[in-house]
Amino acid sequence: MGNQNRKATKDEMARARRVIGEAFPDCQPVFGGHGDYGGHRAPRDHTISFRLRDERGQFCSNVVWILPDELAALTAEIIRAKVKRAGGGPGGG
């Protein structure tokens, strides 16, 4: 199907959590998916999305979208850039 990505594997998602934790050690990623943020805003089905939540439970980032094919190459630097581009981040960054 042209509007559907492959699903991410458990290992890829574990790696994504690890890299996000490295980029933002004081925040936890809260993962979502297609339709989790008020309708069908994901560019394609099986697109992965997350927001950062601080230790008080407050969201400190906007929604960040990642394609499953990007997971293998994710680095902390790439995650910080994606969060910044999405218009948010811990400390108002």
Side-chain angles (χ1 to χ4, degrees), residues 2-69:
N3 61 348
Q4 193 170 25
N5 294 313
R6 68 174 181 81
K7 290 185 179 181
T9 67
K10 288 183 182 183
D11 288 341
E12 288 174 326
M13 290 303 294
R15 184 176 187 288
R17 280 186 177 78
R18 189 172 57 250
V19 171
I20 294 167
E22 181 183 325
F24 297 100
D26 295 332
C27 296
Q28 290 283 70
V30 178
F31 286 94
H34 188 72
D36 284 350
Y37 300 107
H40 296 285
R41 294 185 181 164
R44 296 166 66 114
D45 203 10
H46 299 307
T47 304
I48 299 155
S49 57
F50 72 91
R51 292 181 75 186
L52 296 173
R53 189 182 321 205
D54 65 18
E55 65 279 352
R56 297 174 316 216
Q58 299 293 312
F59 284 113
C60 50
S61 78
N62 290 329
V63 178
V64 179
W65 300 101
I66 302 173
L67 296 173
D69 291 339

